[in-house]
Amino acid sequence: MTPRLETKIWALVEAKQAAFWALSDRVWGTPELNYREHRSSEAHGAVLEAEGFKVNRGFGGLPTALLGEAGESGPVIAILGEYDALPGLSQQAGILEPVPIAADGNGHGCGHNLLGAGALLAATAVKDYLETARIPGRVRYYGCPAEEGGSGKGFLVRAGAFDGVDIAITWHPAPFTGVANPVSLACSEVNFHFTGRGSHAGSTPHLGRSALDAVELMNVGANYMREHMPSRARIHYAIIDAGGVAPNVVQAKATVRYLVRGSSVQELQTLLRRVEKIAEGAALMTETRVRWQVVTGEANLVGNTPLERLMHAHLDRLGPPQFDDADRAFAARFQKTFTDDDIRTSYAAFGLKPSKDAALCDFVFPPESGDGTLVTSTDVGNVSWIVPTVQLRSATFAIGTPGHSWQLVAQGKAPAAHKGMAHAAKIMASVTVSLLCQPELIREAKDDHRRRLQETPFIDPIPEGARPELPMH
């Protein structure tokens, strides 16, 4: 792509960025959880329609999923957005201490208000370019619900929603700017339901068989398993049904949800079998019964070298987001609410050397930064096995900001967040246009993807019969 064309694409982003900052702020103000993102989805859908996209609401069997398409024939480039929030993270904007807007309310503690609006801004800039360029190609905006533990993209993959897509592009708000190292953990969430026998805990405890005891014993067993797992594997759990609140009743039922992570789907499945055996052992010890149900599943990411090189080249030419002194002063105030470990860990996650004075990132980190020891899971992984995928990180908040924290929510409407969001839109838009103008780049990405899957075929971590946890109406 020529510098002149890049500048044109970036100007298309700048021409409309203010409206999309407003969209991001609107979604920030209506934080909604997995598969309940009705107002957020509607806000995105209204913008898609106003911008002239063909809109498909509720596609893939998910009521809050959105698909907007523009362009004619040619390759299909998907730009992925999200707009789900997290529970218990309600927080006023710009405040340097935890001050919830609503007690026990939700909050955008992962920046998905920015993620969705930025992705839609990029898709809109590409649409505007295609209207005048007269080249074949289509851009799709995917509004993807339930990334936070709901595996929305995984269920969309299962439904065939990415059939016919040539390339997928996305981004995520971050403390640093660069091409994301395509390393993540495969994961599954599983509900273990124990059934025992209720009884009076005072007069006839010997007749009861406690399902809650079984849950506790399972948790003990899983804790002993931690020593004997691969170093990057993780196990987390939460008791989601303790069987009641009366201590004088032997609990006849109880449910614990396990989140198991492994470096690959194959490793994950091995770990899951071991956790299932622990559950069976807990049931045997307590004379209860256990059944389990996989709720979600996310695959580890598949990288794509040609796409990562292409995106990094665009970053080299654009540079990092251009923050000003006011942005840096705002971020520095938030840094005072972090621990030294918060800041060190932020750098370590990206394999970077800490700087004592930096509050906001003013550089582009090199490709493949970070060794993959401080990573999490994402349903983008499922997409990356089906479609060649590349992911950007763009700085939107102070270095050291803990993920899923009130501090991240509090920075979600700041000018620095808006600038980082527009920066991400510019890169995604110019990468998309490069691919449409140079189809050989798409062929190279597909060849790379094909070689990787020949070595390791895709195993869907969501088993047959699993269904998304849609809210009851």
Side-chain angles (χ1 to χ4, degrees):
M1 176 180 283
T2 65
R4 182 177 178 183
L5 183 51
E6 279 183 331
T7 302
K8 180 179 180 180
I9 299 301
W10 297 337
L12 290 172
V13 171
E14 291 175 358
K16 292 185 174 178
Q17 63 188 13
F20 288 83
W21 291 339
L23 172 63
S24 173
D25 289 353
R26 190 154 64 249
V27 172
W28 184 97
T30 58
E32 299 163 302
L33 305 182
N34 285 351
Y35 300 119
R36 294 170 172 82
E37 314 95 331
H38 296 286
R39 289 175 294 180
S40 302
S41 176
E42 177 57 35
H44 279 241
V47 171
L48 282 167
E49 288 180 343
E51 290 291 344
F53 286 85
K54 292 177 286 187
V55 182
N56 180 1
R57 288 181 167 86
F59 76 104
L62 304 182
T64 53
L66 271 176
L67 178 62
E69 181 175 299
E72 298 292 338
S73 67
V76 177
I77 311 298
I79 301 179
L80 313 182
E82 300 165 11
Y83 31 68
D84 57 321
L86 288 157
L89 285 178
S90 177
Q91 170 65 28
Q92 293 186 28
I95 305 298
L96 296 173
E97 59 182 339
V99 181
I101 296 172
D104 299 320
N106 310 324
H108 275 285
C110 210
H112 292 181
N113 58 304
L114 296 161
L115 198 167
L120 183 46
L121 174 55
T124 301
V126 175
K127 184 264 302 179
D128 291 347
Y129 172 79
L130 290 174
E131 288 175 351
T132 60
R134 300 182 183 278
I135 62 170
R138 286 170 285 170
V139 61
R140 287 183 183 173
Y141 170 73
Y142 280 75
C144 304
E147 192 276 336
E148 296 291 358
S151 299
K153 296 182 195 67
F155 286 105
L156 290 175
V157 165
R158 273 254 307 261
F162 293 93
D163 294 351
V165 172
D166 292 284
I167 303 291
I169 301 172
T170 190
W171 80 291
H172 204 288
F176 300 101
T177 298
V179 181
N181 193 1
V183 180
S184 71
L185 299 177
C187 73
S188 284
E189 290 194 34
V190 187
N191 286 341
F192 289 89
H193 303 283
F194 288 89
T195 303
R197 184 190 308 149
S199 185
H200 194 295
S203 62
T204 55
H206 59 288
L207 299 179
R209 298 294 182 267
S210 172
L212 184 58
D213 285 354
V215 165
E216 293 192 77
L217 284 169
M218 180 181 177
N219 293 344
V220 170
N223 285 336
Y224 277 103
M225 178 181 162
R226 294 175 193 278
E227 182 184 355
H228 308 287
M229 302 190 308
S231 59
R232 285 203 299 167
R234 300 284 187 270
I235 299 180
H236 328 278
Y237 57 78
I239 298 174
I240 61 175
D241 180 2
V245 296
N248 62 338
V249 176
V250 174
Q251 294 85 354
K253 62 182 181 66
T255 297
V256 61
R257 174 170 294 190
Y258 267 73
L259 170 55
V260 183
R261 306 183 199 256
S263 296
S264 65
V265 175
Q266 292 86 342
E267 182 177 285
L268 169 66
Q269 290 182 328
T270 299
L271 293 168
L272 279 174
R273 300 294 84 79
R274 295 174 66 188
V275 173
E276 289 165 2
K277 289 179 181 178
I278 290 171
E280 290 173 335
L284 183 63
M285 285 188 286
T286 54
E287 295 185 80
T288 59
R289 300 185 306 277
V290 64
R291 63 180 178 87
W292 54 84
Q293 174 187 17
V294 176
V295 179
T296 65
E298 296 173 2
N300 52 296
L301 283 162
V302 176
N304 193 281
T305 301
L307 291 178
E308 290 150 17
R309 288 175 177 167
L310 175 64
M311 180 172 278
H312 185 72
H314 284 254
L315 279 165
D316 265 349
R317 291 190 285 273
L318 179 61
Q322 297 301 299
F323 300 120
D324 59 25
D325 288 343
D327 298 324
R328 285 184 281 271
F330 180 82
R333 289 195 293 273
F334 270 93
Q335 273 194 331
K336 293 178 180 178
T337 72
F338 311 154
T339 67
D340 290 342
D341 277 345
D342 289 334
I343 296 172
R344 281 195 294 268
T345 299
S346 191
Y347 281 101
F350 289 84
L352 301 172
K353 184 178 179 180
S355 169
K356 293 182 178 179
D357 302 320
L360 285 169
C361 175
D362 59 359
F363 60 91
V364 173
F365 63 73
E368 299 183 354
S369 291
D371 61 6
T373 57
L374 296 171
V375 294
T376 183
S377 308
T378 174
D379 59 8
V380 175
N382 300 54
V383 178
S384 72
W385 286 88
I386 304 301
V387 180
T389 301
V390 65
Q391 190 170 18
L392 172 72
R393 294 286 188 267
S394 191
T396 56
F397 46 80
I399 296 170
T401 303
H404 296 189
S405 68
W406 67 265
Q407 291 104 320
L408 201 153
V409 182
Q411 296 173 76
K413 295 171 68 176
H418 291 160
K419 291 172 184 176
M421 181 191 111
H423 174 273
K426 288 180 178 180
I427 294 296
M428 291 188 290
S430 59
V431 168
T432 299
V433 172
S434 282
L435 293 165
L436 294 177
C437 290
Q438 302 173 78
E440 67 274 14
L441 298 176
I442 297 177
R443 289 193 294 272
E444 290 174 11
K446 287 187 170 183
D447 288 343
D448 183 279
H449 189 257
R450 191 178 301 111
R451 285 193 297 270
R452 292 171 188 261
L453 265 66
Q454 284 174 347
E455 296 175 3
T456 309
F458 178 47
I459 301 172
D460 192 340
I462 302 177
E464 288 295 328
R467 297 288 182 269
E469 288 189 309
L470 301 180
M472 301 295 290
H473 294 291

